Amino acid sequence: MKYTPRHIKKFLEEGKIDPNLWQIHFPHILPSHVPGCSECEDKKNNLCQGGKNPVDCFLGIHAEEESTKQADTDRKAHKEKSREFFPGAKGKKRVPAGANITFDQSKM
């Protein structure tokens, strides 16, 4: 997709593109200009393969972050749900196998 400066402004305002990271990668780009891959600082320093649309790169970074957040919340929700079925297991003390817990012989 071909992006316009309005697209970039919208993505920056919505938080889909991190403004600080955008400024690091494109320090000399005006807001009215849509940068190309060759204008990226990572491409200039040979830290990136290149050949991609920079806006797609940044949107991909946002999508990865969202997917990791979603995976973390799913894992936490599963753990919370399993604790509902075992409410007393949280505070129980471990007792050695075969120990008589009904009668305290130390007080005899």
Side-chain angles (χ1 to χ4, degrees):
M1 178 177 172
K2 186 167 170 86
Y3 294 101
T4 63
R6 283 186 179 179
H7 286 112
I8 295 172
K9 184 179 178 185
K10 178 182 164 196
F11 292 145
L12 288 168
E13 289 172 354
E14 290 177 353
K16 291 185 178 180
I17 296 177
D18 184 16
N20 296 328
L21 193 59
W22 185 263
Q23 281 296 329
I24 291 170
H25 284 268
F26 305 104
H28 304 294
I29 301 295
L30 297 173
S32 61
H33 177 70
V34 179
C37 187
S38 61
E39 297 169 318
C40 181
E41 290 295 318
D42 280 354
K43 177 66 176 157
K44 289 178 184 176
N45 296 327
N46 293 325
L47 298 174
C48 176
Q49 290 178 341
K52 288 173 105 178
N53 187 338
V55 179
D56 289 333
C57 284
F58 278 86
L59 292 177
I61 291 170
H62 177 72
E64 288 176 9
E65 291 174 354
E66 289 297 318
S67 66
T68 56
K69 287 180 186 175
Q70 183 66 25
D72 289 344
T73 56
D74 288 345
R75 197 173 335 138
K76 288 178 184 175
H78 177 70
K79 197 173 195 178
E80 294 296 323
K81 191 180 284 187
S82 67
R83 286 188 179 171
E84 291 176 10
F85 294 108
F86 305 106
K90 204 184 322 182
K92 281 190 174 181
K93 296 179 183 177
R94 293 189 178 254
V95 179
N100 187 359
I101 59 171
T102 59
F103 183 69
D104 186 10
Q105 295 179 354
S106 64
K107 305 267 194 260
M108 291 180 84

